[in-house]
Amino acid sequence: MAREKVLAVQAEADEVVLAADTTVCVGRRILAKPEDVAEAEAFLRLMSGRRHRVITALAVRRGDRLWERDVETVLKMKRLSDAEITTYLASEEWQGKAGGYGIQGRAAAFIPWLQGSHSAVVGLPLAETARLLETAGVMP
């Protein structure tokens, strides 16, 4: 998706285009953005007490050159109580979030452990983005 996004933008040869896309995976299952509260609840229950992966793909384009990178982070979600799930769903923070949660909000309390890039889970892996931009000649 990041590649498709970056290629879809009209840009001059000297302009730089950056795109990213985040995917949440539990086992072999990919969790998209939930379409409704019932699906968000199902995602939270699936991840409750388990590890899952967040993969953020990056693409940078400058002229006809393209650089890409995937950043994978492994997270553990604590076992969630019914009350925690109900309260989180009522907050509506799950809307528009891959996997039905955002680590930058209330769900931060659900993640006691992660290995990888916290900023990638939020949506843009900062260190990796800086490296790609440097490779594209944008940053020193």
Side-chain angles (χ1 to χ4, degrees):
M1 285 302 299
R3 179 186 306 136
E4 290 179 27
K5 288 178 179 180
V6 84
L7 292 174
V9 174
Q10 297 275 345
E12 299 296 322
D14 62 334
E15 293 179 314
V16 176
V17 181
L18 166 67
D21 194 74
T22 300
T23 302
V24 176
C25 306
V26 179
R28 293 178 176 236
R29 185 169 174 189
I30 295 174
L31 306 183
K33 295 175 183 174
E35 293 189 20
D36 55 31
V37 71
E39 189 171 39
E41 179 179 357
F43 288 175
L44 291 172
R45 291 193 184 283
L46 178 65
M47 290 183 285
S48 177
R50 297 179 64 184
R51 289 186 183 191
H52 61 282
R53 293 178 295 135
V54 174
I55 303 164
T56 299
L58 296 169
V60 172
R61 180 171 55 99
R62 185 174 201 175
D64 61 354
R65 303 267 327 256
L66 179 67
W67 296 269
E68 298 175 275
R69 171 91 195 265
D70 291 340
V71 178
E72 183 173 327
T73 303
V74 179
L75 303 94
K76 171 128 196 235
M77 186 173 282
K78 73 177 204 140
R79 187 166 309 282
L80 302 175
S81 69
D82 290 341
E84 287 171 317
I85 292 171
T86 300
T87 301
Y88 187 73
L89 294 172
S91 77
E92 298 187 350
E93 283 189 11
W94 58 270
Q95 293 180 346
K97 306 282 192 313
Y101 79 95
I103 196 170
Q104 66 274 30
R106 296 171 189 227
F110 299 164
I111 309 296
W113 177 89
L114 72 78
Q115 179 180 7
S117 170
H118 181 274
S119 62
V121 179
V122 173
L124 187 65
L126 299 177
E128 294 82 0
T129 299
R131 278 190 226 113
L132 276 184
L133 291 172
E134 190 176 313
T135 301
V138 176
M139 298 177 65

